[in-house]
Amino acid sequence: MSSTKESEVVVLGWWISMFTARVRIALAEKGINYQYIEEDLPENKSPLLLKHNPIYKKVPVLVHKGKPICESLIIVQYINETWKDGCSLLPSDPYLKSQAVFWADYIDKHIYPGTMIIISSKGEDMHKGVEQLLGYFKVLESELGEKPYFNGESFGFVDMALICYYSHLIAYGKVANYNVEKDCPKLFAWATLCMKRESVSKVLADPNKIYEMIIAYRKQNGTED
Amino acid sequence: MSSTKESEVVVLGWWISMFTARVRIALAEKGINYQYIEEDLPENKSPLLLKHNPIYKKVPVLVHKGKPICESLIIVQYINETWKDGCSLLPSDPYLKSQAVFWADYIDKHIYPGTMIIISSKGEDMHKGVEQLLGYFKVLESELGEKPYFNGESFGFVDMALICYYSHLIAYGKVANYNVEKDCPKLFAWATLCMKRESVSKVLADPNKIYEMIIAYRKQNGTED
């Protein structure tokens, strides 16, 4: 564990947020002690959250020595550059780094909107959404290739960017009738390997709880079957 | 000028693309010689573009010693880390760097979609689009504050991220009846300062040509007034 004082590093998060999990995974991989503050979302944003993320008013926020950093991929890069000891979360070679950032960006540009379509739709629209999402997974499976992790032999930036969606994808599969294990076996094997890491398994939300929330959300929005 | 051989560095671009301009500004600021290849877009994507950007099939692509890097903000970071001589495009301090990346990301998340709404709509929808866009500009003006550049005294990452939209914003203003100079005087003063740099003024497209293209696009899509 790093000698960083817990009070120096604060994470404002929400248990269901995959982006909060991403930041917590990065801190755990670096062995950084931190104080975790659970926000009462989506309704009751705390004054601390509004103060530290006035632009988006969203979690996660990393507050380091009083200074806020927002947006999870930016936070993970900040963590990597600030605590240089221990494992490196990103390659130091500029080309390899650019490729890692490219794929993490691809994940957020496609997987998050892809899942939002699924939980907000039904029938043919939902079916189309699932096809599209599985298409993105196939692209990611192809990028993973035969490597254990996206970056090669060690768990890194792209793995962190994607594994934080795991519990959600399991839960959404129950709603939208897809199965990551069957439909994307390579990606499932990679996820199983990632889930063996305490940094990951300890912070990901319980898929059953996510499932319950989606069902409630769909009832509220008239999209239940 | 750097001693980099022109053939080592290739940019695949399109004259009207603000993202291409962003990459060319960064290379010029670093004094890097490069070969520029104009793509015949949007219809005739070259085999080179399809080979080097198989995921998005979009410009710009930077090809450095045969290796492609895609997505303009990722390319600018790659340029900054690869050619360390001369000016630095991003702060080396992790916190200041995270803030610069945050604002560049804000620009692409809001300004680009904001302009797309304007050129694709008319009447009340266009009016709402303009109000929204001016709102984003006000946020950026507030972030700029009294500094000459976003990063302070020197032209950097956020300036590059935003100034590449300049010609488009002038042209869209003629279509949508807004005026950056009148509506956002601080931002206009900042843009005027940026436009004095040869790195910027030499690569930005002519607003009149952009205007002609928008008018043709709007006629084709039935959104002309």
Side-chain angles (χ1 to χ4, degrees), chain A residues 177-192:
Chain A
N177 202 24
Y178 69 80
N179 182 314
V180 182
E181 183 170 4
K182 205 177 109 259
D183 296 326
C184 309
K186 267 191 191 178
L187 217 53
F188 189 77
W190 160 85
T192 306

Side-chain angles (χ1 to χ4, degrees), chain A:
Chain A
M1 272 283 164
S2 153
S3 62
T4 309
K5 280 186 210 159
E6 200 178 274
S7 59
E8 274 189 3
V9 185
V10 179
V11 173
L12 309 183
W14 188 26
W15 69 273
I16 201 171
S17 152
M18 60 276 267
F19 304 118
T20 298
R22 186 182 278 170
V23 169
R24 300 186 77 184
I25 293 168
L27 286 167
E29 286 287 332
K30 282 281 191 181
I32 307 298
N33 292 316
Y34 64 97
Q35 184 192 356
Y36 176 70
I37 299 177
E38 175 75 12
E39 287 284 328
D40 179 18
L41 297 182
E43 299 302 332
N44 303 309
K45 299 182 181 194
S46 75
L48 205 62
L49 176 60
L50 300 176
K51 176 188 165 193
H52 285 315
N53 192 354
I55 299 297
Y56 296 122
K57 302 171 181 68
K58 280 182 186 172
V59 294
V61 179
L62 179 79
V63 189
H64 183 208
K65 295 181 182 174
K67 289 179 178 174
I69 302 107
C70 304
E71 299 293 271
S72 66
L73 290 178
I74 298 174
I75 297 173
V76 176
Q77 291 195 61
Y78 174 82
I79 290 168
N80 192 49
E81 289 174 14
T82 301
W83 291 280
K84 291 189 185 291
D85 291 347
C87 65
S88 180
L89 309 179
L90 269 159
S92 54
D93 171 80
Y95 179 74
L96 296 177
K97 186 178 168 186
S98 74
Q99 300 310 295
V101 176
F102 174 88
W103 284 108
D105 177 68
Y106 177 89
I107 289 163
D108 280 355
K109 274 190 182 141
H110 296 86
I111 306 300
Y112 185 74
T115 58
M116 287 301 104
I117 289 170
I118 288 177
I119 65 166
S120 314
S121 61
K122 58 182 176 180
E124 186 55 26
D125 287 344
M126 182 189 264
H127 180 70
K128 274 185 195 162
V130 169
E131 290 296 309
Q132 205 170 33
L133 191 64
L134 292 177
Y136 302 140
F137 289 158
K138 290 291 167 199
V139 172
L140 289 166
E141 274 200 328
S142 164
E143 173 56 22
L144 179 65
E146 299 305 319
K147 306 187 293 287
Y149 295 111
F150 278 90
N151 189 38
E153 294 304 315
S154 59
F155 181 78
F157 195 65
V158 185
D159 305 300
M160 251 171 258
L162 186 57
I163 196 62
C164 64
Y165 287 95
Y166 181 74
S167 299
H168 292 76
L169 293 171
I170 297 294
Y172 301 166
K174 280 175 73 178
V175 179
N177 202 24
Y178 69 80
N179 182 314
V180 182
E181 183 170 4
K182 205 177 109 259
D183 296 326
C184 309
K186 267 191 191 178
L187 217 53
F188 189 77
W190 160 85
T192 306
L193 188 64
C194 293
M195 286 297 282
K196 287 183 181 163
R197 304 179 81 82
E198 209 176 86
S199 65
V200 177
S201 59
K202 262 194 162 178
V203 297
L204 289 197
D206 176 353
N208 293 322
K209 282 192 179 174
I210 298 173
Y211 177 75
E212 283 165 22
M213 271 197 80
I214 303 165
I215 295 300
Y217 171 85
R218 289 172 65 80
K219 270 192 184 150
Q220 203 178 349
N221 290 277
T223 39
E224 84 268 57
D225 287 319

Side-chain angles (χ1 to χ4, degrees), chain B residues 150-170:
Chain B
F150 278 91
N151 190 39
E153 294 304 315
S154 59
F155 181 78
F157 194 65
V158 185
D159 305 299
M160 250 170 257
L162 186 56
I163 195 62
C164 64
Y165 287 95
Y166 180 75
S167 299
H168 292 76
L169 293 171
I170 297 294

